[in-house]
Amino acid sequence: MSSLALSVLLSLVSAVAYAAGAIVQERVATSSDGRSLAPLRDRVWWAAVALNGVGAVLHVVALAYGPLSLVQPLGALTIVFALPMAALFVRRKAGATAWRGAVMATVGLAGLLALTGSSDTHSLGGPQQLMLALVTFGAVAALMLVAKAMRRPVMRSVVLAGAAGVAFGIASVFTKTVAMQWTSGSVGAGLPTLLVIAALAGAGLLLSQAAYRGAGLTAPLATVTVVNPVVAAAVGLTLFGEQFRHGTAGTMLALACGAVAAGGLIMLTTERMSAERRGGQEAPEGDESTRTASRTGGTAGRASRGGPPGGGAARGAPGGGPRGVQ
């Protein structure tokens, strides 16, 4: 097997591992009691952590055998793999709108990453690393505050997923910096950065877990999948000397790809909000137990108030919103 073929295979398996981890995280989120640290006591959640770890290791190994321009776009297939896997293993089917949004987000992201080239890269110095770490933690904290102020569970989850994507993306940037330092023989110089990587990766994992509560699978997963590499690419363009291929034409095409990816995310979010307004009875991602619970809750609510059928008893957010980082 050639190095290129091995890189493609590792990238695809990595995307499958990430998709499986996301499915497990979402199931844990819907079954937990809403307390912030409840998933940490769930052995199934740790299985999701292991799957995400496998996906990360395979992704790094794939980069060792293949070019970044190939490996990164293949990683965008995570959301596409997640939909049929969820339907197959946990009977959580996605509707046509979810599929269209997922495909749009994946195609837009893949095109954007494919257009990102590279020049002579350099490692971030100490002051740059400190500035980037402070800005990142500040941005993540700000997004958490914004999410906490939102009443709509779906929008809250999307913002939390965006914060997770920021944390994961900057963790990748610091990982690249450490790799470059270790390659040049400066092993000791990268050790303090490992603490920042661990903190960002842990924050991203917990934020993504919180995002799955009350918003289903596709919208949070697509948001993390898109925001993560986009943030990393933005830092690469500004701090690592990377650039878009094909000059001005490539830049315009990259902007168009970004708009396509954003349109896919908007489609996924609005679909989930429509399902929420319907009380979850026709949610495209919900399984039969979810729909049954929603119908039962709606009937009980109407009976308790003595109102007419269709009075909106089940219009509340399915599953409730996250009360904090889960």
Side-chain angles (χ1 to χ4, degrees):
M1 182 180 293
S2 66
S3 297
L4 185 62
L6 180 59
S7 176
V8 171
L9 178 61
L10 291 173
S11 299
L12 294 177
V13 177
S14 172
V16 170
Y18 278 131
I23 292 171
V24 175
Q25 281 187 272
E26 192 270 340
R27 298 299 290 180
V28 171
T30 56
S31 62
S32 65
D33 56 9
R35 290 179 294 179
S36 59
L37 298 180
L40 299 180
R41 297 186 293 271
D42 192 330
R43 286 179 294 180
V44 177
W45 184 80
W46 287 104
V49 174
L51 287 168
N52 280 291
V54 170
V57 171
L58 291 175
H59 181 76
V60 171
V61 176
L63 287 173
Y65 286 97
L68 181 67
S69 58
L70 173 68
V71 174
Q72 287 290 74
L74 288 176
L77 293 174
T78 298
I79 179 62
V80 176
F81 288 153
L83 296 183
M85 288 172 63
L88 179 63
F89 294 112
V90 296
R91 298 181 180 178
R92 187 172 292 276
K93 297 181 180 180
T97 303
W99 272 104
R100 287 194 294 269
V103 171
M104 283 180 61
T106 302
V107 171
L109 177 59
L112 181 62
L113 294 175
L115 289 168
T116 303
S118 63
S119 60
D120 295 331
T121 57
H122 60 278
S123 177
L124 296 180
Q128 288 179 309
Q129 292 186 36
L130 179 61
M131 178 194 69
L132 183 59
L134 292 176
V135 170
T136 301
F137 283 115
V140 170
L143 289 173
M144 290 175 64
L145 291 175
V146 171
K148 188 176 181 180
M150 288 186 170
R151 295 183 178 181
R152 297 296 297 271
V154 175
M155 294 304 300
R156 185 188 303 125
S157 295
V158 169
V159 173
L160 288 173
V166 171
F168 283 135
I170 301 302
S172 299
V173 172
F174 278 105
T175 300
K176 180 176 182 179
T177 297
V178 171
M180 294 180 66
Q181 291 174 336
W182 286 4
T183 302
S184 63
S186 303
V187 178
L191 292 178
T193 313
L194 294 177
L195 297 175
V196 178
I197 295 173
L200 289 173
L205 185 64
L206 293 174
L207 285 167
S208 63
Q209 179 66 51
Y212 288 121
R213 184 170 178 81
L217 176 67
T218 53
L221 178 58
T223 301
V224 173
T225 303
V226 170
V227 172
N228 177 353
V230 167
V231 168
V235 174
L237 292 170
T238 56
L239 297 181
F240 282 97
E242 297 180 350
Q243 57 188 355
F244 289 118
R245 293 187 175 93
H246 311 303
T248 303
T251 301
M252 297 302 295
L253 186 57
L255 292 175
C257 289
V260 171
L265 292 181
I266 293 172
M267 186 178 296
L268 288 167
T269 303
T270 54
E271 185 214 30
R272 187 65 192 186
M273 292 175 68
S274 298
E276 178 188 306
R277 286 194 294 269
R278 294 194 301 268
Q281 295 183 12
E282 301 176 4
E285 291 184 299
D287 52 19
E288 184 61 33
S289 60
T290 302
R291 291 192 295 269
T292 302
S294 179
R295 287 193 296 265
T296 303
T299 303
R302 288 192 298 270
S304 64
R305 293 194 304 270
R315 291 178 185 171
R323 300 178 184 176
V325 177
Q326 297 185 6

